[in-house]
Every structure is written in structure tokens, then in C-alpha cells.
Amino acid sequence: MNSKRNLLGILLALAVGLFCLAPAAQAQESESDLTAIREMWEGQPLTVKISGNRAAGLADFARTFARAYPSDLTDAIVARLNDPNNTRKDPNTFVFDPPHGYLKYRYAMDGGAWLELCYWTLPKGHRMVAVSMVDLYNSDKEGLLAFYDYDPTTHRMSPITPMPVRRGLERGIDGRIVELPRVGYDIRLYEPSDRRAKPEVLKWVKGTQFFESDR
């Protein structure tokens, strides 16, 4: 009887140990996914596939980027877009706000990795699309910030290089958290070690297609 109890105790301890390792495994998986996206991103134009004569919108831009760079994270974004009522009970945070042209998908378990996408309206029906990837699992905590110009005539998202920032990204993202705007036009940069500190703001310069740092 004692031997059976001991065996049961060992099995229970192993089960608890495996459960506790799950968040760490997710973090490592997330790191692999987001690092892979950053390494794959080569600034290639992307074609936005839409049906009929309707204008491309937030979901179209998000699907286009996600399918160009497949991973567990981007696959999950497409799955949520295809399941607006979340019938599969995805526990992760998903913000989809078409009126403000803003999307965010974030791992809910520990919150260390997420992807944002938003767009701004430009003249002649063009859209400036931005994608921000934050990866706090990386040793350098480096993410990705990419800008595209969407042409409604060709349905192509063409990378904007260099980035449309006149002043403020001379050293690149440099491990900072890039927060895209859900409301307004300005982009915020935070130091991951101190989110309460005043962020650097990349302000949209009215009448142009550029941002400029407030510092």
C-alpha cells in the first residue's frame, strides 16, 4: 500500500512540474516565433487579396502580413480574424478596432510578446500601414517596426524604407517597446525596464507623411 502511495505521489509531482513548465515553454516558443519573423522580414512588397471592388481594411492588412510571415503568433491572429465570436475560446488578448484602424494580439499567459497593426489615411486612397512586434523574451528585447504604403490601385503594400521618421529613430528601436496608436496619430516608445517613465513620442507631422520625435 505504501509503495502505491509513493508511486502516486511521484506521478502527481511530475504532473505539477510539467504544468509549471508550461508558461516557460510558451515563452520559449514565442521567442522563436517572433525572432523568426524579425529575421524573415526583408522588406518585400506584399499583395493584399480582396474580393470585389471594396476597399481594403484592417483585417485585410493584418491577414496579408500574417500570411507572409507564418508562425504560431501570426497563425493565431488569422484564426481569430476568421472566428470573430471566438468560438474556439482563444484565451489570448485580441483587440480588433476597425473604426480606429487598430489591431493587437497579445499572449495572455505572461504578456511578454505581442503584435500591433494600425494604419493612417493618406491622399489618393493610400494607407500607411505600421506593424509593431514586441518581444520581451529576447535577450536584447528587440522587436520589429515596419511601415508599408498601400496603393489601392495595385493592391500592394510596399515597405517604406527608410522609415518615415525624420528624427527619433537614429539608433533604431534599440530594445524599446513601440506602442502604435489606437486613438490619434502618434507613436510612443517606452523603455521595457520602466514603463512608468515618460515615453518618447514620435509625433505625426500634420500635412506630411512623416513622424518626428518630441525630444
Side-chain angles (χ1 to χ4, degrees), residues 20-35 72 107-114 134-139:
C20 292
L21 285 173
Q26 183 191 31
Q28 291 174 359
E29 184 179 8
S30 302
E31 178 178 357
S32 173
D33 286 344
L34 298 177
T35 301
D72 285 349
Y107 284 123
M109 181 71 74
D110 40 34
W114 65 91
V134 175
D135 186 359
L136 300 183
Y137 300 130
N138 261 348
S139 57

CSV table of all heavy atoms in Angstrom, one decimal, residues 20-35 72 107-114 134-139:
chain,number,residue,atom,x,y,z
A,20,CYS,N,3.8,23.5,-14.4
A,20,CYS,CA,4.5,24.7,-14.0
A,20,CYS,C,5.5,25.1,-15.2
A,20,CYS,O,5.8,26.3,-15.3
A,20,CYS,CB,5.3,24.6,-12.7
A,20,CYS,SG,4.2,24.4,-11.3
A,21,LEU,N,5.9,24.1,-15.9
A,21,LEU,CA,6.9,24.4,-17.0
A,21,LEU,C,6.2,25.0,-18.2
A,21,LEU,O,6.8,25.5,-19.1
A,21,LEU,CB,7.6,23.1,-17.4
A,21,LEU,CG,8.7,22.7,-16.5
A,21,LEU,CD1,9.3,21.3,-16.9
A,21,LEU,CD2,9.9,23.7,-16.4
A,22,ALA,N,4.8,24.9,-18.3
A,22,ALA,CA,4.1,25.3,-19.5
A,22,ALA,C,4.3,26.7,-19.9
A,22,ALA,O,4.6,27.1,-21.0
A,22,ALA,CB,2.6,25.0,-19.3
A,23,PRO,N,4.2,27.7,-18.9
A,23,PRO,CA,4.5,29.1,-19.3
A,23,PRO,C,5.8,29.3,-19.8
A,23,PRO,O,6.0,30.1,-20.8
A,23,PRO,CB,4.3,29.9,-17.9
A,23,PRO,CG,3.4,29.0,-17.1
A,23,PRO,CD,3.8,27.6,-17.5
A,24,ALA,N,6.8,28.6,-19.2
A,24,ALA,CA,8.2,28.8,-19.7
A,24,ALA,C,8.3,28.3,-21.2
A,24,ALA,O,9.0,28.9,-22.0
A,24,ALA,CB,9.2,28.1,-18.8
A,25,ALA,N,7.7,27.1,-21.4
A,25,ALA,CA,7.7,26.6,-22.8
A,25,ALA,C,7.1,27.5,-23.7
A,25,ALA,O,7.5,27.7,-24.9
A,25,ALA,CB,7.0,25.2,-22.8
A,26,GLN,N,5.9,28.2,-23.3
A,26,GLN,CA,5.3,29.1,-24.2
A,26,GLN,C,6.2,30.3,-24.5
A,26,GLN,O,6.2,30.8,-25.6
A,26,GLN,CB,4.0,29.6,-23.6
A,26,GLN,CG,3.2,30.5,-24.5
A,26,GLN,CD,2.0,31.2,-23.8
A,26,GLN,OE1,2.1,31.5,-22.6
A,26,GLN,NE2,1.0,31.5,-24.6
A,27,ALA,N,6.9,30.8,-23.5
A,27,ALA,CA,7.8,31.9,-23.7
A,27,ALA,C,8.9,31.6,-24.7
A,27,ALA,O,9.2,32.4,-25.6
A,27,ALA,CB,8.4,32.3,-22.3
A,28,GLN,N,9.4,30.4,-24.6
A,28,GLN,CA,10.5,30.0,-25.5
A,28,GLN,C,9.9,29.9,-26.9
A,28,GLN,O,10.6,30.3,-27.9
A,28,GLN,CB,11.1,28.6,-25.0
A,28,GLN,CG,11.9,28.8,-23.8
A,28,GLN,CD,12.4,27.4,-23.2
A,28,GLN,OE1,12.0,26.4,-23.8
A,28,GLN,NE2,13.1,27.4,-22.1
A,29,GLU,N,8.7,29.3,-27.0
A,29,GLU,CA,8.1,29.1,-28.3
A,29,GLU,C,7.8,30.5,-28.9
A,29,GLU,O,8.1,30.8,-30.1
A,29,GLU,CB,6.8,28.4,-28.2
A,29,GLU,CG,6.1,28.1,-29.5
A,29,GLU,CD,4.8,27.3,-29.3
A,29,GLU,OE1,4.4,27.1,-28.2
A,29,GLU,OE2,4.3,26.9,-30.3
A,30,SER,N,7.3,31.4,-28.1
A,30,SER,CA,7.1,32.8,-28.6
A,30,SER,C,8.3,33.5,-29.0
A,30,SER,O,8.3,34.2,-30.1
A,30,SER,CB,6.4,33.6,-27.4
A,30,SER,OG,5.3,33.0,-27.0
A,31,GLU,N,9.4,33.3,-28.3
A,31,GLU,CA,10.7,33.9,-28.7
A,31,GLU,C,11.1,33.4,-30.0
A,31,GLU,O,11.5,34.2,-30.9
A,31,GLU,CB,11.8,33.5,-27.7
A,31,GLU,CG,13.1,34.1,-28.0
A,31,GLU,CD,14.2,33.8,-27.0
A,31,GLU,OE1,13.9,33.2,-25.9
A,31,GLU,OE2,15.3,34.2,-27.3
A,32,SER,N,10.9,32.1,-30.3
A,32,SER,CA,11.3,31.5,-31.5
A,32,SER,C,10.5,32.1,-32.7
A,32,SER,O,11.0,32.5,-33.7
A,32,SER,CB,11.1,30.0,-31.5
A,32,SER,OG,11.3,29.4,-32.8
A,33,ASP,N,9.1,32.2,-32.4
A,33,ASP,CA,8.2,32.7,-33.4
A,33,ASP,C,8.6,34.2,-33.8
A,33,ASP,O,8.8,34.5,-35.0
A,33,ASP,CB,6.8,32.7,-32.9
A,33,ASP,CG,6.2,31.3,-32.9
A,33,ASP,OD1,6.8,30.5,-33.6
A,33,ASP,OD2,5.2,31.1,-32.3
A,34,LEU,N,8.7,35.0,-32.8
A,34,LEU,CA,8.9,36.4,-33.1
A,34,LEU,C,10.3,36.7,-33.6
A,34,LEU,O,10.5,37.6,-34.5
A,34,LEU,CB,8.6,37.2,-31.8
A,34,LEU,CG,7.2,37.1,-31.3
A,34,LEU,CD1,7.0,37.9,-30.0
A,34,LEU,CD2,6.2,37.6,-32.3
A,35,THR,N,11.3,36.0,-33.1
A,35,THR,CA,12.6,36.2,-33.7
A,35,THR,C,12.6,35.8,-35.1
A,35,THR,O,13.3,36.4,-36.0
A,35,THR,CB,13.6,35.3,-32.9
A,35,THR,OG1,13.6,35.7,-31.5
A,35,THR,CG2,15.0,35.5,-33.4
A,72,ASP,N,3.3,30.6,-35.1
A,72,ASP,CA,2.2,30.3,-34.2
A,72,ASP,C,1.4,31.6,-33.9
A,72,ASP,O,0.2,31.7,-33.8
A,72,ASP,CB,2.7,29.7,-32.9
A,72,ASP,CG,3.1,28.3,-33.0
A,72,ASP,OD1,2.8,27.7,-34.1
A,72,ASP,OD2,3.7,27.7,-32.1
A,107,TYR,N,-0.1,37.5,-26.1
A,107,TYR,CA,-0.2,36.3,-25.3
A,107,TYR,C,-0.6,36.7,-23.9
A,107,TYR,O,0.0,37.5,-23.2
A,107,TYR,CB,1.2,35.6,-25.3
A,107,TYR,CG,1.5,34.9,-26.5
A,107,TYR,CD1,2.7,35.2,-27.2
A,107,TYR,CD2,0.7,33.9,-27.0
A,107,TYR,CE1,3.0,34.5,-28.4
A,107,TYR,CE2,1.0,33.2,-28.2
A,107,TYR,CZ,2.2,33.5,-28.9
A,107,TYR,OH,2.5,32.8,-30.0
A,108,ALA,N,-1.7,36.1,-23.4
A,108,ALA,CA,-2.2,36.5,-22.1
A,108,ALA,C,-1.5,35.8,-20.9
A,108,ALA,O,-1.6,36.3,-19.8
A,108,ALA,CB,-3.7,36.1,-22.1
A,109,MET,N,-0.8,34.7,-21.2
A,109,MET,CA,-0.3,33.9,-20.1
A,109,MET,C,0.7,34.8,-19.3
A,109,MET,O,0.7,34.8,-18.1
A,109,MET,CB,0.5,32.7,-20.6
A,109,MET,CG,1.1,31.8,-19.6
A,109,MET,SD,-0.2,30.9,-18.6
A,109,MET,CE,-0.7,29.7,-19.7
A,110,ASP,N,1.7,35.4,-20.0
A,110,ASP,CA,2.7,36.2,-19.3
A,110,ASP,C,2.9,37.6,-19.9
A,110,ASP,O,3.6,38.4,-19.4
A,110,ASP,CB,4.0,35.5,-19.2
A,110,ASP,CG,4.3,34.7,-20.5
A,110,ASP,OD1,3.9,35.3,-21.6
A,110,ASP,OD2,4.9,33.7,-20.5
A,111,GLY,N,2.2,37.8,-21.1
A,111,GLY,CA,2.2,39.2,-21.6
A,111,GLY,C,3.5,39.7,-22.2
A,111,GLY,O,3.6,40.9,-22.4
A,112,GLY,N,4.4,38.8,-22.5
A,112,GLY,CA,5.8,39.3,-22.9
A,112,GLY,C,5.9,39.4,-24.4
A,112,GLY,O,7.0,39.8,-24.9
A,113,ALA,N,4.9,39.0,-25.2
A,113,ALA,CA,5.1,39.1,-26.6
A,113,ALA,C,3.7,39.5,-27.2
A,113,ALA,O,2.7,39.0,-26.9
A,113,ALA,CB,5.5,37.8,-27.2
A,114,TRP,N,3.8,40.5,-28.2
A,114,TRP,CA,2.5,40.9,-28.8
A,114,TRP,C,2.8,41.5,-30.2
A,114,TRP,O,4.0,41.9,-30.5
A,114,TRP,CB,1.7,41.8,-27.9
A,114,TRP,CG,2.3,43.1,-27.6
A,114,TRP,CD1,2.1,44.3,-28.3
A,114,TRP,CD2,3.1,43.5,-26.5
A,114,TRP,NE1,2.7,45.3,-27.6
A,114,TRP,CE2,3.3,44.8,-26.5
A,114,TRP,CE3,3.6,42.7,-25.4
A,114,TRP,CZ2,4.1,45.5,-25.6
A,114,TRP,CZ3,4.3,43.4,-24.4
A,114,TRP,CH2,4.6,44.7,-24.5
A,134,VAL,N,6.6,43.3,-30.4
A,134,VAL,CA,7.3,43.5,-29.2
A,134,VAL,C,7.7,42.1,-28.7
A,134,VAL,O,6.8,41.2,-28.7
A,134,VAL,CB,6.5,44.2,-28.1
A,134,VAL,CG1,7.2,44.2,-26.8
A,134,VAL,CG2,6.2,45.6,-28.6
A,135,ASP,N,8.9,41.9,-28.3
A,135,ASP,CA,9.4,40.6,-27.9
A,135,ASP,C,10.3,40.7,-26.7
A,135,ASP,O,11.5,40.8,-26.8
A,135,ASP,CB,10.2,39.9,-29.1
A,135,ASP,CG,10.6,38.5,-28.8
A,135,ASP,OD1,10.3,38.0,-27.7
A,135,ASP,OD2,11.3,37.9,-29.7
A,136,LEU,N,9.7,40.6,-25.5
A,136,LEU,CA,10.4,40.8,-24.3
A,136,LEU,C,11.1,39.5,-23.8
A,136,LEU,O,11.8,39.5,-22.8
A,136,LEU,CB,9.5,41.3,-23.1
A,136,LEU,CG,8.8,42.6,-23.4
A,136,LEU,CD1,8.0,43.1,-22.2
A,136,LEU,CD2,9.9,43.7,-23.7
A,137,TYR,N,11.0,38.4,-24.6
A,137,TYR,CA,11.6,37.2,-24.3
A,137,TYR,C,13.1,37.2,-24.8
A,137,TYR,O,13.9,36.5,-24.4
A,137,TYR,CB,10.9,36.0,-24.9
A,137,TYR,CG,9.5,35.8,-24.4
A,137,TYR,CD1,8.4,35.7,-25.2
A,137,TYR,CD2,9.2,35.8,-23.0
A,137,TYR,CE1,7.1,35.6,-24.8
A,137,TYR,CE2,7.9,35.7,-22.5
A,137,TYR,CZ,6.9,35.6,-23.4
A,137,TYR,OH,5.6,35.4,-22.9
A,138,ASN,N,13.3,38.0,-25.9
A,138,ASN,CA,14.6,38.0,-26.5
A,138,ASN,C,15.6,38.6,-25.5
A,138,ASN,O,15.3,39.5,-24.7
A,138,ASN,CB,14.6,38.9,-27.7
A,138,ASN,CG,14.5,38.1,-29.0
A,138,ASN,OD1,14.7,36.9,-29.0
A,138,ASN,ND2,14.2,38.8,-30.1
A,139,SER,N,16.9,38.1,-25.6
A,139,SER,CA,17.9,38.7,-24.7
A,139,SER,C,18.1,40.2,-24.9
A,139,SER,O,18.4,40.9,-24.0
A,139,SER,CB,19.2,37.9,-24.9
A,139,SER,OG,19.6,38.0,-26.2
